[in-house]
Amino acid sequence: MMKGAHFPTAAAFALLALATFHLVSASDPSPLQDFCVALNTTQTVVSAVFVNGKFCRDPKLATADDFFFSGLRIPGNTSNPLGSDVTPANVEQIAGLNTLGISLARIDFAPNGGLNPPHTHPRATEVLMVMEGTLYVGFVSSDNSLFTKVLYKGDVFVFPVGLIHFQFNIGKDKAVAIAALSSQNPGVITIANAVFGSNPPINLDVLTKAFQVDNNVVQYLQKQFWYDNN
């Protein structure tokens, strides 16, 4: 009877511990060291081992250059079909960002209609600040509500993680924005490129029915060159 009397308490404790474990494991663990400068190769690591991120260099071998990137001072080339160019500053450019959960990007827009087309970042929320010019920006929520705003120099706008969003230069002059993203490797999926420019192509019948258009329209779109501004 004594053992039976304690069973509910023990079971509740076990369930609580299990639930806590799942809650804790649902997000990235806190860093266990000051920094983890990324290695650009895994040749010295067993090939069967993979990590969610990059392998770390010996901290004693780190230098200031591992935490430095000058690329955002250089204007992007907007002479392309979209009239925009994205310069990333993530773990691929700054090895010292590894495990720190943050990155930046510079977006340059050509005058009169430079567009950063509808896209998503599957692993990051984005905070955008306009440095020059005037941008019409927006995102679409999971219930298809559209949130838009016209931004001027110094204005800030937030794009929640995973939601489709865009930026469009409505000014007569060039525009520049800086984006902060809550991941060292936020990823980007440009909607038109993914749907109509995938390799191999998505089945014609799937897209025809999904967009409820004639299959000639889908075939035309699949034959286009979908420019990638990233």
Side-chain angles (χ1 to χ4, degrees):
M1 290 298 293
M2 290 294 290
K3 291 183 178 179
H6 289 286
F7 177 76
T9 302
F13 180 82
L15 289 173
L16 178 61
L18 183 62
T20 303
F21 171 79
H22 283 295
L23 286 172
V24 171
S25 64
S27 60
D28 292 339
S30 299
L32 300 178
Q33 55 200 41
D34 289 344
F35 49 80
C36 170
V37 175
L39 284 171
N40 290 323
T41 178
T42 59
Q43 292 178 351
T44 59
V45 184
V46 178
S47 60
V49 177
F50 295 88
V51 295
N52 187 18
K54 291 182 176 289
F55 293 99
C56 302
R57 185 187 310 160
D58 184 341
K60 295 178 181 179
L61 301 179
T63 70
D65 285 340
D66 293 320
F67 304 91
F68 173 78
F69 178 62
S70 62
L72 297 190
R73 73 171 72 158
I74 303 171
N77 181 7
T78 60
S79 299
N80 57 63
L82 294 174
S84 70
D85 187 73
V86 178
T87 304
N90 57 44
V91 71
E92 297 299 329
Q93 291 78 36
I94 309 174
L97 280 179
N98 192 36
T99 75
L100 298 185
I102 193 170
S103 60
L104 293 174
R106 170 180 174 147
I107 310 104
D108 289 88
F109 300 85
N112 297 308
L115 172 68
N116 193 14
H119 62 281
T120 74
H121 301 293
R123 295 180 290 275
T125 290
E126 175 181 341
V127 181
L128 183 89
M129 181 174 181
V130 177
M131 309 303 291
E132 295 181 40
T134 306
L135 295 177
Y136 170 68
V137 307
F139 68 85
V140 180
S141 66
S142 59
D143 64 358
N144 286 336
S145 296
L146 175 64
F147 298 81
T148 64
K149 197 76 175 175
V150 174
L151 305 183
Y152 302 93
K153 182 178 180 179
D155 288 345
V156 172
F157 198 79
V158 176
F159 305 103
V161 59
L163 298 187
I164 296 173
H165 60 283
F166 60 87
Q167 298 105 26
F168 184 61
N169 185 5
I170 59 174
K172 295 181 180 180
D173 300 314
K174 70 176 184 177
V176 180
I178 296 293
L181 300 117
S182 62
S183 171
Q184 69 181 47
N185 183 26
V188 60
I189 302 171
T190 304
I191 307 306
N193 302 41
V195 174
F196 298 110
S198 66
N199 185 22
I202 297 175
N203 183 280
L204 182 64
D205 293 333
V206 171
L207 296 181
T208 298
K209 192 162 187 176
F211 288 93
Q212 300 177 36
V213 296
D214 187 89
N215 60 14
N216 290 328
V217 175
V218 175
Q219 287 180 320
Y220 169 79
L221 291 171
Q222 288 183 323
K223 291 178 181 178
Q224 303 308 302
F225 172 73
W226 294 100
Y227 184 82
D228 184 4
N229 66 336
N230 286 272

